[in-house]
Amino acid sequence: MKFLTIMAMFFSFLFAAVNINTASQKELEKLPGIGPKKAMSIVEYRSKQPFKAIEDIKKVKGVNQKLFNKIKNDIEVTTDKKDSKAEK
């Protein structure tokens, strides 16, 4: 039974969504269809304006609806403010 619990925790970690507000360039590159150039564009965009919703990633040059459809289940958006409130 412990083995199943450990395996469940391991697989949930593997399939955790990528937070597009905090992910590194390398983490973003693991998303399907996101290479180094698009990952850098995402990082540059969010440095000026953090994402408020996953759909906002379509505002980044090179991220169209087709690419968004590929990655939408693999990404999430949280902000530091939300995270710090959750910890209190």
Side-chain angles (χ1 to χ4, degrees), residues 19-21 45-46 49-57 59 76-79 82:
N19 182 343
I20 57 175
N21 274 332
Y45 179 92
R46 74 169 187 223
Q49 178 177 351
F51 298 104
K52 294 179 182 171
I54 62 169
E55 293 80 8
D56 290 344
I57 200 167
K59 296 176 183 176
E76 67 180 4
V77 170
T78 59
T79 62
K82 287 181 186 177

Side-chain angles (χ1 to χ4, degrees), residues 1 7 11 13 16-17 20-21 23 25 29 32 49 51 57-58 76 80 88:
M1 188 59 139
M7 291 302 290
F11 283 111
F13 177 74
I20 57 175
N21 274 332
Q25 181 178 343
E29 289 175 23
Q49 178 177 351
F51 298 104
I57 200 167
K58 294 185 286 184
E76 67 180 4
D80 290 336
K88 290 182 181 179

Side-chain angles (χ1 to χ4, degrees), residues 4-79:
L4 292 176
T5 304
I6 292 170
M7 291 302 290
M9 288 175 20
F10 176 73
F11 283 111
S12 66
F13 177 74
L14 283 178
F15 299 109
V18 173
N19 182 343
I20 57 175
N21 274 332
T22 60
S24 68
Q25 181 178 343
K26 290 290 182 192
E27 290 170 323
L28 292 167
E29 289 175 23
K30 293 178 183 176
L31 294 167
I34 304 290
K37 195 170 186 175
K38 280 190 189 130
M40 180 56 76
S41 294
I42 293 168
V43 171
E44 287 174 1
Y45 179 92
R46 74 169 187 223
S47 70
K48 297 173 187 155
Q49 178 177 351
F51 298 104
K52 294 179 182 171
I54 62 169
E55 293 80 8
D56 290 344
I57 200 167
K58 294 185 286 184
K59 296 176 183 176
V60 176
K61 186 177 180 179
V63 181
N64 57 24
Q65 185 66 45
K66 184 177 178 181
L67 178 55
F68 175 74
N69 289 340
K70 278 186 189 179
I71 64 174
K72 67 182 177 183
N73 294 323
D74 299 324
I75 60 175
E76 67 180 4
V77 170
T78 59
T79 62

